Amino acid sequence: MRIRTLFLLLFSFVLISACTPREESTQEDFESLKTAFIDDLWELNPGWALAVGNYDYADRLTINNDEHREKRNQFLTNYRSKLDAINAGNLPPLEQIDYRLIDNYLQSQVWNRDEFRLESWDPSRYNVAGSVSRILNGRYAPLEERLSSLFRMLELVPEYYAASADVLGTPTRPHTELAVEQNRGTIGMLDGALRDSLAVLGNSDSGDGDVGQEWIGTFNERIDRAIAAVEEYIGMLNENWLEPDDARFRDFRIGSDLYQQKFQFDNVSWYGAEEVYRQAVRRKEELHQEMMERSAELWEEYHPDREMPGDLTRVQMVLDEIARNRVHRDSLVQAIKEQIPELETFVMENELLTLDPDKPLVVRETPEYMRGFSIASISAPGPYDSGGDTYYNVSPIDHMSDEEAASFLREYNNYTLQILNIHEAIPGHYTQLVYANKSPSIIKSILRNTAMIEGWAVYTEQMMLEEGYGDFKPELWLMYAKWHLRVVTNTILDYRIHNEEYRYSREEALDLLMNRAFQERAEAEGKWRRATLSQVQLTSYFTGYTEIWNLREEWKEQKGDDYDLREFHETFLSYGSSPVKYIRELMLE
Ligand code: ZN
């Protein structure tokens, strides 16, 4: 007994010898705070839980009534006082980041409840489709078990939509139109995919257990009632808002005050919104200047004997020509596959980063159910299915007509494809993810900072070109400038739409995107719509990029002769998907 105690004492001494008893007890307190916080978070937000692969509350819906709001208030007060009781200074750096992420989350929730009040003006946030389809398509349990969850969830749907209608005050027009459109899709899914799955289960039934014909009958009745509830919600939005000629919608522009605040909660930047906006305007001028010079350099080759225009038409004319360098429609996926090893070799030979040879990136065709959003994406296992594979999804373009495919491949020409691969895969999103997983943290995974994640991918595009990827070919640089101009103008657009000073109109927005950023009309129109439905999100890419770029300059200065690019990258990535602001404080300490 005594020997055992001694052994345990020695053992724990070895474990904690790096910290003082006070630090150790702070860490223990924080550890249990985090565990309880995450459990309570999922109980309060079952839909969010499903989105990250936690199915503990799969049969629930958040019904926004007094009881729910009371629970939410308790959650916020409770964790505020628990967090305040912890001395963050006693925590190791990575834990300090978790602490600040929770802190920022709690503050943003209070702000959203009291100031921003999204739930009272965005009717599109009320929709059961996401949760239903996650359970229906989830591979976490057999169909019978998943349908049992849905059976219980469906019973709550009428109450869910009734409570949502009650909470709604004055909505904005774009969010109302979106709510009607998306909830129509929900009816289609309940009546289609859900009934189909139920029929599959009914046919395979052996006759015992839950799945009797009676159960299936009740299930179908619940689907009927759920559909009626969605129809009623859509009907209310149409009758009260979209049909009357004199409906007075809320302005979708959130105004400067809310914008500055949301910018801080979402991006967590050490710059203010206005400063980032000003940097974007400067960057746009720089890029235009550079594009004019490069297209002058390329003019004779692509437009021999033609007079060179003195304005941005020159850039457009050269871009049109170099976009002809593209792959055949059938070899898109293959072309991307072949580029990945080239990128890996370049990164390793130039000592930009250490890549883990045990984690090769698997390129695959995007699974059918995920297609339709973007040409390429990374599928990473969520925080609850670690051990799953990471894939680089590339969507084939078989379904496109020849004309559509030609237009698509003009956009994703051979130059753009290389930049896309840098951004999505190596050393962009995929590499960042591998580094983040070296010190897994559920808090960093669920409260991850988009500005850092997108900023890193955008940063690597330029860094790779500057290090000589593509041999400084002017065509690649020109195409890169067009690509980069997109994140720059996204920032300008978002800021000018939402801030009173500008109140950008649709025409002004389309002019900026089409005539100053060389975008096609369809892309520009889609961007306008996205900017009326979201706020700040469009600035995250450029914000993170600017922060990383400037942090590198500061770090370089601090290191002097010892500056090493690889060391900068690896140190930066070692903090996981955390706000650049927090990483900066720890790196420059
Ligand atoms: Zn990205």
Side-chain angles (χ1 to χ4, degrees):
M1 185 71 181
R2 190 176 283 173
I3 292 174
R4 215 188 116 146
T5 314
L6 183 68
F7 174 74
L8 276 177
L9 270 174
L10 271 173
F11 184 66
S12 41
F13 179 74
V14 171
L15 271 183
I16 57 154
S17 57
C19 43
T20 66
R22 181 171 298 156
E23 284 169 348
E24 188 207 355
S25 87
T26 310
Q27 280 180 45
E28 279 171 9
D29 290 348
F30 187 54
E31 222 28 73
S32 45
L33 182 152
K34 284 199 289 186
T35 310
F37 171 81
I38 292 164
D39 284 347
D40 290 346
L41 189 68
W42 297 151
E43 193 179 346
L44 210 53
N45 304 282
W48 186 7
L50 287 176
V52 299
N54 177 306
Y55 299 95
D56 290 350
Y57 303 98
D59 54 358
R60 299 199 199 170
L61 286 173
T62 302
I63 294 166
N64 201 338
N65 54 18
D66 287 341
E67 192 193 332
H68 167 74
R69 287 190 288 273
E70 181 52 36
K71 260 197 200 160
R72 186 181 62 187
N73 292 343
Q74 275 172 14
F75 171 85
L76 294 174
T77 327
N78 178 21
Y79 284 100
R80 170 47 55 202
S81 56
K82 280 188 174 169
L83 208 58
D84 288 348
I86 284 179
N87 182 351
N90 285 337
L91 295 170
L94 284 170
E95 296 294 315
Q96 283 184 27
I97 292 180
D98 281 6
Y99 179 97
R100 297 175 78 177
L101 287 172
I102 297 176
D103 184 20
N104 183 62
Y105 173 74
L106 294 177
Q107 287 188 49
S108 75
Q109 289 303 296
V110 170
W111 172 78
N112 192 15
R113 181 192 64 193
D114 300 340
E115 310 281 335
F116 197 53
R117 304 189 41 73
L118 186 65
E119 59 185 31
S120 74
W121 54 265
D122 175 9
S124 73
R125 58 185 285 111
Y126 304 111
N127 192 335
V128 296
S131 295
V132 173
S133 73
R134 283 198 176 95
I135 297 174
L136 208 54
N137 297 317
R139 313 253 188 277
Y140 68 98
L143 182 62
E144 185 176 342
E145 193 182 323
R146 286 181 281 130
L147 283 175
S148 292
S149 294
L150 285 171
F151 180 73
R152 294 190 293 277
M153 183 197 274
L154 281 178
E155 200 181 10
L156 305 172
V157 171
E159 206 185 332
Y160 170 88
Y161 278 101
S164 305
D166 278 349
V167 171
L168 218 53
T170 306
T172 78
R173 180 185 276 281
H175 291 96
T176 310
E177 287 169 349
L178 183 70
V180 167
E181 187 185 315
Q182 292 186 333
N183 272 291
R184 280 207 187 107
T186 305
I187 296 177
M189 191 194 55
L190 294 172
D191 210 19
L194 181 56
R195 284 206 212 271
D196 292 348
S197 297
L198 192 58
V200 168
L201 187 70
N203 291 335
S204 68
D205 178 35
S206 54
D208 50 86
D210 260 356
V211 195
Q213 285 312 309
E214 204 183 307
W215 186 77
I216 291 190
T218 316
F219 204 130
N220 271 311
E221 282 164 22
R222 284 190 184 181
I223 296 179
D224 295 341
R225 278 198 293 275
I227 291 176
V230 185
E231 275 169 350
E232 196 179 322
Y233 184 66
I234 293 176
M236 181 278 289
L237 293 175
N238 277 328
E239 276 163 40
N240 292 357
W241 297 101
L242 294 175
E243 282 159 14
D245 292 331
D246 57 350
R248 295 177 68 106
F249 284 100
R250 179 193 171 101
D251 193 350
F252 63 81
R253 304 165 199 275
I254 64 173
S256 305
D257 289 346
L258 289 175
Y259 190 87
Q260 318 280 346
Q261 292 158 2
K262 192 166 197 286
F263 185 90
Q264 279 317 322
F265 286 126
D266 291 1
N267 285 344
V268 196
S269 172
W270 77 83
Y271 295 120
E274 198 191 335
E275 173 59 20
V276 170
Y277 164 72
R278 277 205 302 266
Q279 300 208 37
V281 172
R282 263 204 306 277
R283 186 81 184 118
K284 177 174 72 93
E285 299 310 321
E286 270 171 32
L287 286 167
H288 280 167
Q289 172 93 29
E290 196 189 308
M291 292 174 98
M292 286 297 278
E293 286 164 15
R294 294 214 188 263
S295 38
E297 206 181 313
L298 291 165
W299 186 260
E300 266 310 299
E301 192 182 337
Y302 290 95
H303 293 285
D305 306 325
R306 277 179 84 169
E307 201 185 325
M308 187 171 77
D311 60 9
L312 289 176
T313 325
R314 179 201 304 170
V315 176
Q316 185 68 61
M317 286 174 74
V318 176
L319 281 171
D320 286 346
E321 286 306 307
I322 63 178
R324 289 169 184 273
N325 183 350
R326 54 189 192 246
V327 297
H328 185 268
R329 56 178 299 169
D330 298 333
S331 42
L332 179 67
V333 179
Q334 191 53 35
I336 288 179
K337 257 188 194 157
E338 281 165 10
Q339 260 173 33
I340 301 298
E342 286 171 29
L343 287 167
E344 286 171 335
T345 308
F346 185 86
V347 167
M348 289 189 291
E349 279 179 358
N350 290 276
E351 301 189 339
L352 303 177
L353 266 168
T354 309
L355 298 176
D356 189 343
D358 295 337
K359 298 197 167 55
L361 179 56
V362 186
V363 186
R364 69 170 180 187
E365 292 195 359
T366 312
E368 303 249 6
Y369 71 95
M370 289 169 60
R371 287 185 197 173
F373 296 104
S374 55
I375 167 187
S377 63
I378 293 287
S379 270
Y384 292 97
D385 46 13
S386 55
D389 288 320
T390 300
Y391 296 100
Y392 185 21
N393 306 311
V394 183
S395 298
I397 53 172
D398 309 346
H399 61 286
M400 290 185 187
S401 68
D402 280 344
E403 202 180 315
E404 285 168 341
S407 145
F408 180 88
L409 293 168
R410 260 199 309 278
E411 196 57 38
Y412 290 98
N413 53 69
N414 280 344
Y415 303 109
T416 316
L417 275 187
Q418 299 180 56
I419 305 163
L420 175 78
N421 284 330
I422 293 172
H423 179 106
E424 294 292 339
I426 291 165
H429 287 319
Y430 170 72
T431 305
Q432 190 262 322
L433 204 71
V434 172
Y435 271 83
N437 287 341
K438 283 185 186 169
S439 48
S441 148
I442 292 203
I443 295 292
K444 286 189 196 68
S445 171
I446 59 182
L447 301 178
R448 61 176 172 260
N449 184 264
T450 312
M452 181 274 177
I453 294 171
E454 290 301 343
W456 169 259
V458 173
Y459 160 81
T460 59
E461 298 160 3
Q462 191 173 341
M463 182 274 290
M464 288 286 278
L465 264 55
E466 288 196 349
E467 294 303 312
Y469 182 78
D471 291 329
F472 302 99
K473 228 175 172 281
E475 285 92 339
L476 182 60
W477 275 94
L478 184 59
M479 206 46 98
Y480 164 71
K482 178 191 162 179
W483 173 275
H484 186 54
L485 202 48
R486 194 182 281 162
V487 306
V488 173
T489 47
N490 280 351
T491 299
I492 298 173
L493 181 73
D494 197 60
Y495 191 85
R496 289 189 182 167
I497 283 179
H498 287 288
N499 286 275
E500 287 94 352
E501 206 182 319
Y502 300 96
R503 290 189 63 84
Y504 238 33
S505 69
R506 187 170 185 276
E507 285 61 42
E508 287 170 311
L510 295 187
D511 178 58
L512 171 75
L513 300 176
M514 291 165 65
N515 301 328
R516 313 249 112 209
F518 315 101
Q519 294 180 12
E520 300 287 329
R521 175 170 286 275
E523 187 189 353
E525 284 173 344
K527 197 52 65 64
W528 162 258
R529 182 159 191 241
R530 186 170 152 195
T532 63
L533 289 167
S534 68
Q535 321 81 26
V536 175
Q537 203 274 333
L538 281 172
T539 70
S540 60
Y541 299 68
F542 183 73
T543 303
Y545 155 84
T546 305
E547 288 182 301
I548 297 171
W549 207 262
N550 293 346
L551 168 59
R552 196 178 84 176
E553 292 309 302
E554 286 180 90
W555 163 272
K556 201 187 265 178
E557 199 164 300
Q558 207 178 67
K559 289 276 166 179
D561 291 343
D562 293 334
Y563 168 73
D564 176 65
L565 187 57
R566 175 163 72 181
E567 191 195 354
F568 171 75
H569 290 153
E570 293 180 356
T571 312
F572 178 78
L573 291 181
S574 72
Y575 296 100
S577 310
S578 315
V580 184
K581 178 184 174 177
Y582 303 166
I583 300 177
R584 174 177 178 264
E585 287 173 20
L586 294 165
M587 277 181 80
L588 298 179
E589 213 162 49

